[in-house]
């Protein structure tokens, strides 16, 4: 395995801490999948170079020399970026931030993966690939409107695994033919990617799939497929509701979101969270090109909102939340702020308390929304030694 320009993310180098993340949104796709509700536009000819110029302008004007532990190129389809543009964006980040052995993830469409490109991605500094496989069944892939087929996805996995120690395989379950999912899981086990994300297909408003929502499977069936995933990946750590990792390969970038820690968001429609302010860039590519970094939303959260969001996010994680982490971060004890709600969640069997942690129970993991609702209720009641 050749060496990346940046440090390879392995169990030995993986670390977490107060480093900030950087999310970079590349909103261009060659074809549009009918279930997708991300910010994206169709682009037959790849990512326009003016978009990369705008991204670099936004990076330079927002940079404050922060220490960065992860960079994530998401989309859209970041694998459409030209290598020189990818390198330019990474160089700009390196010049204006302090990169501390960052995990650098590139989301890739299997259709864009070639042996040569995988090597190029590594050469420019990418050290983790997230591969949008979704299924190893051609009928399912056609239903989802994906541009790759199963054979292409198999090659893409093989080529990525030849070069990268750290990579993720994305799955979608619940698309017809539902039974094909079992075979897909069997192939995943054979491949043994270090990280797997598995999400239920949803039929979101404002997507072409919304008109087909009657085809959605029942909640019971969805739970059955979720549990099938858990059973198939039983030797992985099921560290977040929809994410599984071999030891040391949890996604450092997504852990920033799930711990409600801070990150910059660059590009069209990108979200950021810094110093208690949640912000979003304009979702219009044209507007972004005219004014890189223009915000369409900016919301200052008050202390109680930040605490509630932090707990909600942490309860997506198997590790839950450590009492001393809460104390260090907020300067008060978690019991003083949320004792009553947590006791109630414990009585309902959704949360369990130990001397050091509050964690979701297996039931709390499945019924994560219930935990969220109880915490939001505290927010709406405005209880408030925390304000
Ligand atoms: S699922 Fe991915 S490839 Fe498909 S339209 Fe959405 S962002 Fe583009």
């Amino acid at each position: 395995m050749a060496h990346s320009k940046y440090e390879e993310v392995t169990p030995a180098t993986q670390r977490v801490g107060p480093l900030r993340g950087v999310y970079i949104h590349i909103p261009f796709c060659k074809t549009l999948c009918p279930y997708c509700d991300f910010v994206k536009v169709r682009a037959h000819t790849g990512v326009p170079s003016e978009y990369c110029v705008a991204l670099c302008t936004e990076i330079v004007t927002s940079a404050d020399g922060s220490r960065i532990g992860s960079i994530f190129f998401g989309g859209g389809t970041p694998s459409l970026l030209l290598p020189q543009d990818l390198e330019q964006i990474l160089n700009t980040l390196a010049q204006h931030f302090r990169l501390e052995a960052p995990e650098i993830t590139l989301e890739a469409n299997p259709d864009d993966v070639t042996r040569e490109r995988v090597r190029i991605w590594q050469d420019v500094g990418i050290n983790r690939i997230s591969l949008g496989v979704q299924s190893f069944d051609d009928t399912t892939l056609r239903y989802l409107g994906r541009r790759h087929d199963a054979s292409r996805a198999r090659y893409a996995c093989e080529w990525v695994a030849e070069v990268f120690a750290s990579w993720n395989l994305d799955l979608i379950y619940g698309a017809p033919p539902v039974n094909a999912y079992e075979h897909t899981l069997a192939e995943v086990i054979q491949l043994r990617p270090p990280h797997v994300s598995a999400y239920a297909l949803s039929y979101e408003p404002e997507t072409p799939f919304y008109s087909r929502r009657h085809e959605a499977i029942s909640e019971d069936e969805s739970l059955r497929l979720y549990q099938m995933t858990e059973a198939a990946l039983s030797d992985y750590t099921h560290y977040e509701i929809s994410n599984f990792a071999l030891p040391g390969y949890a996604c450092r970038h997504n852990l920033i979101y799930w711990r409600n820690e801070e990150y910059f968001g660059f590009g069209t429609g990108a979200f950021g969270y810094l110093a208690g302010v949640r912000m979003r860039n304009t979702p219009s590519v044209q507007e972004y090109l005219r004014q890189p970094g223009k915000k369409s939303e900016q919301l200052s959260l008050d202390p109680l909102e930040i605490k509630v969001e932090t707990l909600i996010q942490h309860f997506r994680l198997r590790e839950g939340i450590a009492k001393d982490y809460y104390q260090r971060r907020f300067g008060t004890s978690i019991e003083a702020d949320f004792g009553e709600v947590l006791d109630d969640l414990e009585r309902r069997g959704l949360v369990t308390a130990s001397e050091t942690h509050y964690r979701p129970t297996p039931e709390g993991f499945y019924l994560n929304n219930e935990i969220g609702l109880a915490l939001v209720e505290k927010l709406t009641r405005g209880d408030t030694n925390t304000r």
Side-chain angles (χ1 to χ4, degrees):
M1 207 168 281
H3 278 292
S4 157
K5 183 166 155 185
Y6 298 91
E7 195 176 343
E8 182 82 40
V9 180
T10 65
T13 60
Q14 185 169 31
R15 72 169 87 115
V16 291
L19 302 179
R20 286 172 159 175
V22 168
Y23 174 78
I24 296 187
H25 193 73
I26 307 296
F28 305 96
C29 298
K30 271 194 191 162
T31 55
L32 300 185
C33 312
Y35 62 90
C36 173
D37 67 343
F38 298 147
V39 172
K40 80 277 177 196
V41 291
R42 195 159 182 189
H44 299 285
T45 51
V47 181
S49 57
E50 68 216 273
Y51 185 77
C52 299
V53 172
L55 264 177
C56 291
T57 304
E58 187 190 6
I59 292 168
V60 172
T61 50
S62 322
D64 60 1
S66 288
R67 296 162 61 219
I68 299 298
S70 75
I71 298 167
F72 194 104
F73 289 88
T77 315
S79 49
L80 293 177
L81 277 167
L82 293 174
Q84 59 269 34
D85 287 338
L86 194 49
E87 193 164 27
Q88 176 68 41
I89 296 166
L90 284 170
N91 285 342
T92 307
L93 286 168
Q95 282 158 13
H96 296 274
F97 288 98
R98 270 176 59 194
L99 305 191
E100 302 212 351
E103 171 191 88
I104 308 179
T105 304
L106 180 87
E107 281 184 346
N109 187 311
D111 211 28
D112 297 332
V113 176
T114 62
R115 270 206 162 107
E116 192 198 355
R117 267 198 209 140
V118 168
R119 299 243 168 240
I120 292 173
W121 289 333
Q122 187 190 42
D123 287 345
V124 300
I126 302 299
N127 54 26
R128 183 174 185 272
I129 297 288
S130 179
L131 207 47
V133 168
Q134 319 309 356
S135 171
F136 286 114
D137 176 68
D138 281 334
T139 312
T140 305
L141 289 168
R142 273 196 300 277
Y143 180 85
L144 292 172
R146 301 292 306 190
R147 70 179 150 102
H148 65 276
D149 61 15
S151 157
R152 186 75 202 180
R154 288 182 192 109
Y155 280 117
C157 291
E158 186 187 321
W159 296 332
V160 165
E162 277 172 6
V163 172
F164 288 93
S166 183
W167 64 285
N168 168 57
L169 190 155
D170 262 342
L171 289 176
I172 290 179
Y173 59 86
V178 173
N179 291 342
Y181 185 63
E182 199 171 345
H183 301 290
T184 288
L185 278 177
E187 286 205 42
V188 173
I189 297 164
Q190 287 295 315
L191 280 165
R192 207 169 163 73
H195 190 284
V196 179
S197 298
Y199 289 91
L201 175 63
S202 57
Y203 296 73
E204 300 295 332
E206 294 177 34
T207 66
F209 258 31
Y210 194 58
S211 62
R212 304 175 71 166
R213 58 194 180 282
H214 56 277
E215 294 171 10
I217 57 172
S218 68
E219 277 188 23
D220 283 353
E221 181 69 340
S222 185
L223 180 60
R224 184 181 74 80
L225 298 175
Y226 179 83
Q227 288 171 335
M228 185 193 287
T229 313
E230 250 190 337
L233 301 175
S234 59
D235 62 338
Y236 285 64
T237 305
H238 186 180
Y239 73 103
E240 193 271 347
I241 297 171
S242 307
N243 287 273
F244 303 79
L246 293 176
Y249 288 103
C251 175
R252 197 191 303 173
H253 187 81
N254 285 339
L255 280 171
I256 289 178
Y257 302 150
W258 297 321
R259 292 179 176 144
N260 205 30
E261 291 176 347
E262 296 184 315
Y263 58 95
F264 293 83
F266 298 131
T268 306
F271 285 94
Y273 177 57
L274 295 166
V277 179
R278 198 164 294 292
M279 58 202 96
R280 189 185 190 203
N281 281 349
T282 172
S284 153
V285 173
Q286 288 317 318
E287 196 171 25
Y288 181 81
L289 291 176
R290 280 195 301 275
Q291 283 180 271
K294 184 175 168 28
K295 305 290 174 235
S296 61
E297 291 168 35
Q298 223 158 350
L299 182 66
S300 263
L301 303 176
D302 72 28
L304 179 58
E305 286 170 321
I306 294 172
K307 289 175 177 179
V308 166
E309 283 197 7
T310 301
L311 256 63
I312 289 177
Q313 291 299 87
H314 274 257
F315 282 126
R316 295 183 63 88
L317 294 168
R318 179 73 79 197
E319 70 184 19
I321 186 159
K323 294 178 182 179
D324 65 345
Y325 169 93
Y326 188 94
Q327 177 79 40
R328 272 199 316 279
R329 182 161 170 182
F330 297 113
T332 56
S333 82
I334 192 168
E335 284 88 357
D337 286 344
F338 291 99
E340 212 182 298
V341 186
L342 292 168
D343 285 349
D344 183 49
L345 288 169
E346 205 179 345
R347 271 192 298 277
R348 291 164 60 193
L350 298 173
V351 162
T352 171
S354 71
E355 209 166 296
T356 55
H357 281 77
Y358 283 95
R359 293 192 172 89
T361 60
E363 199 183 353
F365 222 28
Y366 299 137
L367 300 176
N368 178 264
N369 283 351
E370 305 266 323
I371 298 179
L373 283 175
L375 289 162
V376 167
E377 206 177 295
K378 173 168 173 91
L379 190 59
T380 43
R381 279 203 314 264
D383 301 350
T384 56
N385 45 346
T386 54
R387 281 189 192 263

